[in-house]
Amino acid sequence: MIVIENLTKRYGDLVAVNDVSFVARPGSVTGFLGPNGAGKSTAMRMMTGLTPPTAGRALVLGRPYKQLPNPGRHVGVMLDASAQHPGRTGREVLRLAAIQMGVGRAAVDASLDRVGLTSKEAGRRVRNYSLGMRQRLGLASALMGDPQVLILDEPANGLDPQGIHWMRGLLRGFADQGGTVLLSSHLLHEVQIIADELVMIGNGRIVAIGSKEELLDSHGTRVRSLDDTALHAALSAAGFGVRHDGTVLVAEATPEQVGRVALDARIVLTELRTSGSEGLEEMFLQLTAAHAREGSAA
């Protein structure tokens, strides 16, 4: 379990992380989301003892990370897959990690096999690895000590679709066996598939927190009909909030409630669904719009 209590980090007048509190529980994958510069990486560095907090605390398995005995045996961390010695082979990187954790050489082979790196690939210098291979190597190191908790920053970065599918299964299986996963990623569709809980921050503050289902359901039901004007009026008359979102109506109601209103009003629906594959992305953009870094379109 990871418990974050009022975590704050200031750099002079800049508040990078501002009074953040949440819990990542065993048996679940928690998606930790936010735009660039929102404070995600700083928060994760505080969780893993790399950056001291200005205020608040981060507990991993009931203790600050630095107080864990042999932390690699309890917490698997991957914050920057590119931060690996380029002159060493993948196997050498893992052997050093195994020595530090006090695990045998068999753990190296087991970790390589677990992340799908072949013996030939493990013998290559890290400088010759693709980004996706470095991600697999980083995951192998994080999993080496058979930890109870994983803290991962952008683990799918550089993976191809097959690799992303593999990673999804790996992390889902880890959580289903009772592990705790805290996952930061810009691949919102993948987070939507795998995450149980979501924590979204903007400008260092939490802007949304809760189960994936609660947050996406609260985002509304998307609906189209043969007469959207009449449906809008019927939903409003029934007491549901409703807005027009470009091409569809978004109602603050469940699909069943929207369907019943349409049936009573004898309006034919042509589309009815909760937030689909774009649901998390849409919610993310709306909640973090004030904190996003944008450029002009060419």
Side-chain angles (χ1 to χ4, degrees), residues 1 18 29 36-37 60 83 87 122 194 197 206 212-213 267 272:
M1 179 180 288
N18 194 347
V29 177
N36 291 336
V60 184
I194 192 175
E197 305 286 328
I206 290 180
K212 177 178 64 179
E213 288 75 15
I267 298 172
L272 179 66

Side-chain angles (χ1 to χ4, degrees), residues 59-170:
L59 302 179
V60 184
L61 298 173
R63 303 184 187 184
Y65 181 86
K66 286 186 174 182
Q67 294 182 16
L68 290 170
N70 197 351
R73 298 293 296 271
H74 305 281
V75 186
V77 177
M78 187 177 74
L79 299 186
D80 184 358
S82 65
Q84 298 162 349
H85 196 299
R88 295 192 177 118
T89 67
R91 185 176 295 278
E92 287 170 347
V93 169
L94 295 185
R95 280 180 177 170
L96 285 172
I99 291 170
Q100 291 174 335
M101 296 178 200
V103 298
R105 286 197 173 192
V108 173
D109 291 328
S111 289
L112 287 168
D113 184 64
R114 192 171 185 181
V115 303
L117 285 175
T118 67
S119 179
K120 182 178 180 180
E121 290 169 334
R124 290 168 54 185
R125 303 290 175 188
V126 172
R127 69 165 61 93
N128 297 318
Y129 276 19
S130 66
L131 178 55
M133 290 176 65
R134 291 188 186 215
Q135 296 286 41
R136 288 178 183 263
L137 183 63
L139 281 170
S141 181
L143 293 164
M144 176 85 68
D146 194 23
Q148 299 165 257
V149 175
L150 289 176
I151 299 176
L152 309 173
D153 193 3
E154 300 291 345
N157 194 18
L159 293 178
D160 58 22
Q162 184 178 17
I164 291 173
H165 179 79
W166 160 80
M167 186 203 68
R168 186 196 307 160
L170 177 72

Side-chain angles (χ1 to χ4, degrees), residues 42 51 66 71 79 93 111 119 122 160 173 208 216 232 243 259 270 293:
T42 301
T51 297
K66 286 186 174 182
L79 299 186
V93 169
S111 289
S119 179
D160 58 22
L216 291 180
H232 191 297
R243 69 181 188 277
T270 58
R293 186 189 304 273

Side-chain angles (χ1 to χ4, degrees), residues 2-296:
I2 303 170
V3 178
I4 308 302
E5 298 177 340
N6 308 113
L7 201 60
T8 299
K9 182 62 182 179
R10 296 186 181 90
Y11 297 98
D13 294 333
L14 173 66
V15 183
V17 178
N18 194 347
D19 197 29
V20 167
S21 298
F22 66 89
V23 175
R25 294 176 173 80
S28 69
V29 177
T30 300
F32 191 41
L33 309 175
N36 291 336
K40 302 186 304 299
S41 294
T42 301
M44 296 177 94
R45 288 179 60 84
M46 287 190 283
M47 293 175 209
T48 53
L50 296 173
T51 297
T54 304
R57 63 178 184 169
L59 302 179
V60 184
L61 298 173
R63 303 184 187 184
Y65 181 86
K66 286 186 174 182
Q67 294 182 16
L68 290 170
N70 197 351
R73 298 293 296 271
H74 305 281
V75 186
V77 177
M78 187 177 74
L79 299 186
D80 184 358
S82 65
Q84 298 162 349
H85 196 299
R88 295 192 177 118
T89 67
R91 185 176 295 278
E92 287 170 347
V93 169
L94 295 185
R95 280 180 177 170
L96 285 172
I99 291 170
Q100 291 174 335
M101 296 178 200
V103 298
R105 286 197 173 192
V108 173
D109 291 328
S111 289
L112 287 168
D113 184 64
R114 192 171 185 181
V115 303
L117 285 175
T118 67
S119 179
K120 182 178 180 180
E121 290 169 334
R124 290 168 54 185
R125 303 290 175 188
V126 172
R127 69 165 61 93
N128 297 318
Y129 276 19
S130 66
L131 178 55
M133 290 176 65
R134 291 188 186 215
Q135 296 286 41
R136 288 178 183 263
L137 183 63
L139 281 170
S141 181
L143 293 164
M144 176 85 68
D146 194 23
Q148 299 165 257
V149 175
L150 289 176
I151 299 176
L152 309 173
D153 193 3
E154 300 291 345
N157 194 18
L159 293 178
D160 58 22
Q162 184 178 17
I164 291 173
H165 179 79
W166 160 80
M167 186 203 68
R168 186 196 307 160
L170 177 72
L171 300 185
R172 184 70 266 167
F174 181 89
D176 289 345
Q177 293 175 12
T180 301
V181 180
L182 181 67
L183 167 68
S184 172
S185 178
H186 286 106
L187 300 178
L188 299 181
H189 175 61
E190 292 304 317
V191 174
Q192 182 167 338
I193 291 173
I194 192 175
D196 304 295
E197 305 286 328
L198 297 173
V199 178
M200 197 172 296
I201 66 173
N203 199 26
R205 288 183 174 274
I206 290 180
V207 296
I209 186 169
S211 74
K212 177 178 64 179
E213 288 75 15
E214 290 171 345
L215 291 177
L216 291 180
D217 286 350
S218 67
H219 193 59
T221 295
R222 302 170 69 83
V223 59
R224 296 189 201 192
S225 73
L226 295 181
D227 190 344
D228 282 352
T229 300
L231 181 58
H232 191 297
L235 287 167
S236 297
F240 298 115
V242 59
R243 69 181 188 277
H244 198 278
D245 189 17
T247 58
V248 300
L249 295 178
V250 181
E252 296 175 5
T254 66
E256 179 181 352
Q257 290 169 327
V258 172
R260 289 185 179 278
V261 169
L263 178 62
D264 291 342
R266 297 184 177 277
I267 298 172
V268 176
L269 300 183
T270 58
E271 180 179 338
L272 179 66
R273 59 189 170 90
T274 55
S275 298
S277 61
E278 79 284 2
L280 181 56
E281 179 179 4
E282 182 180 327
M283 183 178 70
F284 176 89
L285 292 173
Q286 289 187 5
L287 291 175
T288 63
H291 316 294
R293 186 189 304 273
E294 296 182 353
S296 59

